[in-house]
């Protein structure tokens, strides 16, 4: 049965059909392990009353071998039709028309949020002293910014034309230090694009009863693009969530009119009422704050490029790409693709040695998104128990003392044993 969305609400039947892409390289190994655990968790949690019907769709090398196309139109059609899908890592084709299969899927389904939870599980090797303080969710804008793909190579006729336009029409030619050899990239950041991302982050924080949303930007330098993101974010929070949020913008106004002490007292009062605090921080400062005071952040909303850096840097603090899950979501249409955040690690293909946790935890995010919270929590606690008992795959084994080394499939069996 199909999952549908009606008036902004997902309707998930007890036996939903969910398309999956197993992925290239280590994809089949981590996918089969993740699928086994998800099926066992759903079965054990709901005693057979719920079951996922998996439907394979093709992308990447497997698709290319079977159909001659890297991303067949049928795959996108099915992902569109069934709303929710899950995928392993895909090879980025070298040459040819497609820049990246992941980017193509995000664009086709307009998946404007890249959602990356960053959470530490006890026992996971970490380079920071207090990884238990790291627990936040990143909402990265996924469709605009310098990643829009509008780039012109140094020396190209387009770059020359753009340089002439900057000089003759906009009077900005002098700002380009080396006009003859500059390459150019364009950074579109829109009000609509920023608003839909920030709206999704605020709704998520409210639904999950989290204390704050932090807008991360470089508006001090890029005033209209990144600065716009911040301004539009505050305006949206105050306009659409007036009764539920208190913003740093409001705090600043209170400070101007009533003084700092009164403003602080007001902020405390609003927090005591359970209001969500919407604040902002400059991206470079944020990157040090997540090392120094990660406990100050619970939901982070940011632009595409900042979000890319922040996601991987934050993931490193809690165990790296072998365990960090992700999803690309359009909260308006319901479309969502859950995915491993690591690549295909082709050297380790078919070795049954890699860590399936990234894809498995993406599956946990998927179950949460579907409203199957009990099954999601069951997997999470079983995975946490397995890691705490130091029964792990090679990546963690190499960093732990007295651990037991498990194959990918053995690790999955161990998690299944630890399910309630
Ligand atoms: P990679 O993530 O595939 O591998 C880098 C290293 O990380 C590996 O050599 C391995 O040591 C480690 N690693 C990765 N996944 C692991 C896991 N599950 N468990 C334990 N260790 C793991 O990055 P790469 O080598 O730069 O990229 C290889 C291919 O994957 C490229 O074609 C790239 O374009 C593609 N890629 C795809 C995605 C995606 O589909 N989402 C993301 C990144 C890269």
């Amino acid at each position: 049965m199909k999952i549908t969305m009606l008036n902004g609400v997902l309707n998930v039947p007890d036996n939903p059909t969910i398309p999956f892409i197993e992925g290239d390289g280590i994809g089949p190994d981590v996918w089969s392990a993740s699928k086994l655990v998800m099926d066992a968790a759903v079965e054990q949690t709901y005693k057979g009353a719920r079951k996922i019907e998996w439907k394979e769709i093709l992308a990447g090398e497997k698709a290319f071998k079977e159909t001659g196309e890297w991303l067949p139109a049928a795959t996108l059609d099915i992902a569109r039709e069934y709303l929710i899908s899950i995928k392993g890592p895909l090879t980025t084709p070298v040459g040819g028309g497609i820049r990246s299969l992941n980017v193509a899927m995000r664009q086709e389904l307009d998946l404007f949020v890249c959602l990356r939870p960053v959470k530490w599980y006890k026992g996971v090797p970490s380079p920071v002293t207090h990884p238990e303080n790291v627990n936040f969710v990143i909402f990265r804008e996924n469709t605009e910014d310098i990643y829009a793909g509008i780039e012109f190579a140094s020396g190209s006729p387009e770059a020359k034309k753009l340089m002439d336009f900057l000089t003759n029409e906009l009077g900005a030619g002098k700002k380009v230090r080396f006009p003859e050899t500059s390459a150019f990239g364009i950074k579109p950041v829109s009000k609509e694009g920023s608003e839909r991302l920030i709206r999704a982050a605020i709704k998520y924080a409210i639904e999950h009863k989290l204390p704050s949303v932090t807008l991360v930007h470089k508006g001090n330098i890029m005033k209209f693009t990144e600065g716009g993101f911040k301004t539009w974010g505050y305006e949206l929070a105050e306009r659409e969530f007036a009764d539920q949020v208190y913003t740093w913008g409001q705090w600043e106004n209170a400070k101007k009119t009533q003084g700092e002490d009164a403003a602080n007292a007001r902020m405390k009062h609003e927090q005591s009422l359970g209001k969500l605090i919407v604040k902002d921080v400059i991206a470079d400062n944020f990157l040090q704050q997540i090392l120094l005071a990660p406990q100050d952040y619970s939901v982070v909303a940011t632009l595409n490029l900042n979000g890319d850096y922040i996601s991987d840097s934050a993931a490193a603090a809690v165990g790296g790409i072998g365990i960090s899950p992700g999803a690309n979501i359009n909260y308006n249409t319901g479309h969502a693709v859950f995915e491993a955040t690591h690549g295909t690690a082709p050297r380790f293909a078919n070795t049954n040695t890699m860590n399936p946790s990234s894809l498995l935890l993406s599956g946990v995010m998927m179950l949460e998104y579907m409203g199957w919270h009990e099954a999601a929590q069951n997997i999470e606690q079983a995975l946490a128990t397995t890691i705490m008992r130091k029964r792990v795959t090679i990546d963690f084994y190499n960093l732990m003392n007295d651990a037991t080394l498990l194959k990918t499939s053995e690790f999955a069996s161990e998690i299944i044993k630890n399910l309630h």
Side-chain angles (χ1 to χ4, degrees):
M1 296 247 310
K2 276 182 203 158
I3 296 175
T4 53
M5 177 116 157
L6 199 65
N7 301 325
V9 180
L10 270 187
N11 177 18
V12 181
D14 284 337
N15 56 343
T17 302
I18 298 189
F20 71 92
I21 295 167
E22 66 175 7
D24 299 324
I26 61 170
D29 279 352
V30 293
W31 166 251
S32 54
S34 303
K35 176 178 174 296
L36 273 178
V37 176
M38 284 189 276
D39 282 343
V42 169
E43 162 71 28
Q44 292 189 29
T45 308
Y46 303 114
K47 312 278 182 268
R50 283 177 170 170
K51 185 176 193 301
I52 295 173
E53 307 287 345
W54 299 106
K55 181 182 179 69
E56 179 162 19
I57 50 177
L58 297 178
E61 282 165 19
K62 195 168 177 182
F64 191 71
K65 270 190 207 129
E66 290 187 23
T67 70
E69 286 180 88
W70 287 94
L71 187 60
T75 294
L76 284 173
D77 289 345
I78 293 171
R80 193 174 290 115
E81 192 180 338
Y82 287 84
L83 283 190
I84 294 179
S85 46
I86 182 163
K87 61 176 275 294
L90 293 172
T91 306
T92 303
V94 181
I98 290 187
R99 216 158 37 113
S100 146
L101 299 174
N102 298 309
V103 173
M105 287 189 80
R106 282 171 207 170
Q107 284 175 345
E108 285 291 325
L109 300 174
D110 197 20
L111 305 171
F112 62 84
V113 173
C114 176
L115 186 65
R116 293 277 296 265
V118 185
K119 179 176 171 184
W120 183 69
Y121 292 91
K122 201 168 180 193
V124 171
S126 161
V128 301
T129 322
H130 288 292
E132 70 278 8
N133 290 344
V134 183
N135 189 1
F136 54 86
V137 179
I138 302 166
F139 279 70
R140 165 186 168 195
E141 204 289 326
N142 227 358
T143 63
E144 5 181 69
D145 196 358
I146 200 82
Y147 278 24
I150 313 170
E151 276 202 296
F152 304 105
S154 163
S156 66
E158 292 84 359
K160 174 157 187 347
K161 215 169 176 176
L162 193 59
M163 190 57 228
D164 290 346
F165 184 73
L166 286 173
T167 308
N168 302 326
E169 306 285 328
L170 300 181
K174 287 220 166 67
K175 292 187 177 173
V176 180
R177 178 69 183 81
F178 296 108
E180 295 297 320
T181 60
S182 282
F184 292 93
I186 307 269
K187 179 181 173 82
V189 176
S190 70
K191 187 166 188 245
E192 290 97 314
S194 303
E195 283 186 348
R196 65 179 182 172
L197 182 276
I198 295 164
R199 184 182 294 116
I202 293 178
K203 280 188 175 167
Y204 181 97
I206 292 172
E207 273 164 27
H208 291 80
K209 300 189 172 36
L210 296 168
S212 69
V213 170
T214 305
L215 310 172
V216 179
H217 62 90
K218 282 290 290 179
N220 53 334
I221 307 292
M222 292 172 269
K223 305 219 185 280
F224 301 126
T225 50
E226 306 241 346
F229 180 86
K230 168 187 144 182
T231 307
W232 298 321
Y234 277 137
E235 286 172 358
L236 171 116
E238 290 167 20
R239 186 175 67 240
E240 292 188 10
F241 301 91
D243 299 337
Q244 293 155 295
V245 308
Y246 191 69
T247 70
W248 274 15
Q250 288 169 315
W251 175 84
E252 264 172 20
N253 277 340
K255 188 174 136 190
K256 263 187 224 142
T257 53
Q258 298 156 29
E260 189 160 348
D261 290 348
N264 287 341
R266 172 79 191 274
M267 169 82 91
K268 273 222 170 86
H269 174 66
E270 298 286 351
Q271 271 173 315
S272 73
L273 297 176
K275 283 200 180 168
L276 174 74
I277 302 299
V278 179
K279 52 187 179 176
D280 76 280
V281 58
I282 306 283
D284 38 352
N285 183 20
F286 182 71
L287 281 167
Q288 65 162 345
Q289 291 306 327
I290 54 175
L291 292 175
L292 299 173
Q295 67 278 5
D296 289 350
Y297 303 99
S298 56
V299 175
V300 172
T302 191
L303 301 99
N304 208 337
L305 177 63
N306 297 338
D308 198 356
Y309 296 153
I310 290 167
S311 301
D312 279 17
S313 163
V318 295
I321 51 178
I323 192 168
S324 302
N328 297 292
I329 302 178
N330 181 324
Y331 283 93
N332 301 334
T333 61
H335 285 114
V337 178
F338 295 83
E339 65 175 0
T341 57
H342 54 76
T344 58
R347 264 195 316 135
F348 301 101
N350 305 314
T351 56
N352 192 22
T353 55
M354 293 287 101
N355 191 343
S357 301
S358 171
L359 190 54
L360 178 60
L361 286 171
S362 302
V364 167
M365 290 172 73
M366 182 181 84
L367 294 168
E368 290 279 0
Y369 184 71
M370 290 159 58
W372 292 15
H373 304 289
E374 307 81 5
Q377 279 156 18
N378 202 350
I379 297 176
E380 242 195 318
Q381 69 75 26
L383 174 67
T385 305
T386 309
I387 293 170
M388 227 152 49
R389 294 189 180 151
K390 300 190 175 185
R391 301 182 62 78
V392 290
T393 47
I394 184 85
D395 49 334
F396 287 178
Y397 174 81
N398 284 338
L399 300 170
M400 282 175 163
N401 293 325
D402 313 318
T404 307
L405 176 62
L406 300 181
K407 295 266 186 200
T408 310
S409 51
E410 293 168 338
F411 184 65
S413 306
E414 197 70 22
I415 299 170
I416 291 171
K417 266 193 235 157
N418 291 326
L419 289 168
H420 291 316

